Every structure is written in structure tokens, then in C-alpha cells.
Amino acid sequence: QKEVEQNSGPLSVPEGAIASLNCTYSDRGSQSFFWYRQYSGKSPELIMFIYSNGDKEDGRFTAQLNKASQYVSLLIRDSQPSDSATYLCAVESNNDMRFGAGTRLTVKP
Amino acid sequence: ETGVTQTPRHLVMGMTNKKSLKCEQHLGHNAMYWYKQSAKKPLELMFVYSLEERVENNSVPSRFSPECPNSSHLFLHLHTLQPEDSALYLCASSLTGFNTEAFFGQGTRLTVV
């Protein structure tokens, strides 16, 4: 059974801090990794994707992938109240996509 | 607006009813998906269509029946559902397969009574 695990949270950080979201996966053959943001009552939207080991930065967001340790993380710098949402980790392998249950992030003003 | 439109947004149906969910994408994508999202559970992939052919069926009960008449439209036909089928049903599309960004519709909130 391919598993994707996330801490459900809630994770609470003050405005301006760095929020760190983590995700582990069980299938070593996984190829593509995605972070989606889902606001309450809305559908998921893509924040970042990463395919290779290392870091990938996009604005305030940095995705980190470590295939040897089978984890992928998302860092949000200078967190804003508008970043408050549930963050879903998704892992693709062999034409199958598995999502984690999501981590709820709250950024307090 | 993501370019993926789902109707209806809300649906209440009895266990003996037959209803259909509709999804339409205007993005020129070749792959479309149905997902089920239940409270505090991961998104569950139900069906995948690539170039109008079904390529994945994750052991979904036969009371859910997908239909993809063309690359822009996807349906989920429902019949004799159970209360535990109550959930948010999300449609998504992507340019090719899973290794490309998926765009989600707003979902249909289904309640089975």
C-alpha cells in the first residue's frame, strides 16, 4: 500500500515567521511531488511541484525533496494570514497519484 | 476560476435515486480525473481518463459509473448510493498525465440520505 503521511496539525505560526510543512511517502519509486493549497470550502490549487532532489524556490515558497529519506517539505517564508489553509502533499508514481490528508496551517496576525 | 466547471455544486439524493455529476474543462487538457474528498481523509482517486479512455479504476464500487464522451467532458453517474458515499466529489484535469499540474473544479458536495 502506497502511503503519503502528513501531520494533520493544526500548525500555528505568527505572521512573518517561517512555516514548515512535512510529508513522508512510502513508495521509493515515486517520481513527482506536488504541494497543493486548499482554502476552506474551496478546491485544491497547485503551489509547487518538484521532481529532483534538493530545493526549489518560488517566491516565498521553497519545496525540498530528499528521495533517500523519502520526504518532501514545503517552507513558507514571511508567512501571511492569507496563507492560512490546508496544505496537501501529493506523490506520483507509476501513473498513480496519492494525496496526504493535509496539514492545516494557521498564521496569526 | 480554474477552467474546470462542475455541476451541480450541491446535491442531496436518496439511496434509491439516480443522479449524475458533470465536469467540463476549457483548458485543452487530455486527462481528466474524479476524486472523492471525505472529512479528515486524503483525497481518493476514483477514475482517470486519458484521451477519453479510462486508465485507472481504483476498486471503486460499481454504484459509481464514469463516462467521458469527449476530452472536455466527464460525468459520474450515481445510483443506489450509501450514506457513507456522502463527500465532496472533485473533478480535475491536466495537460497529460499525473506528472503535470492538475486543475480542480469547485466540487460537488454530495449528501446521501
Side-chain angles (χ1 to χ4, degrees), chain A residues 1-6 23 25-27 30 32-34 36 88-93 95-101, chain B residues 35 42-45 56 58 98:
Chain A
Q1 180 74 3
K2 302 172 189 175
E3 300 288 344
V4 178
E5 301 286 344
Q6 293 182 256
C23 173
Y25 59 94
S26 62
D27 184 1
S30 299
S32 309
F33 307 84
F34 304 83
Y36 285 86
L88 307 176
C89 171
V91 176
E92 180 271 330
S93 61
N95 279 326
D96 186 21
M97 182 73 86
R98 300 279 171 155
F99 280 79
Chain B
Y35 285 90
L43 270 171
E44 299 172 51
L45 178 65
E56 183 79 23
N58 284 311
F98 282 122

Side-chain angles (χ1 to χ4, degrees), chain B residues 21-90:
Chain B
L21 310 184
K22 180 182 176 182
C23 177
E24 186 173 359
Q25 57 99 359
H26 309 279
L27 302 169
H29 288 171
N30 292 317
M32 296 188 77
Y33 315 83
W34 280 116
Y35 285 90
K36 176 183 178 182
Q37 189 173 37
S38 304
K40 302 198 186 298
K41 287 187 177 180
L43 270 171
E44 299 172 51
L45 178 65
M46 300 176 72
F47 300 104
V48 180
Y49 278 83
S50 178
L51 296 172
E52 302 158 43
E53 290 194 12
R54 188 194 301 184
V55 295
E56 183 79 23
N57 177 357
N58 284 311
S59 302
V60 178
S62 59
R63 56 187 184 268
F64 296 92
S65 175
E67 178 189 2
C68 187
N70 55 62
S71 60
S72 299
H73 294 86
L74 185 64
F75 295 89
L76 187 62
H77 303 300
L78 316 171
H79 65 96
T80 60
L81 294 192
Q82 304 298 311
E84 60 264 28
D85 296 322
S86 299
L88 180 67
Y89 288 84
L90 289 163

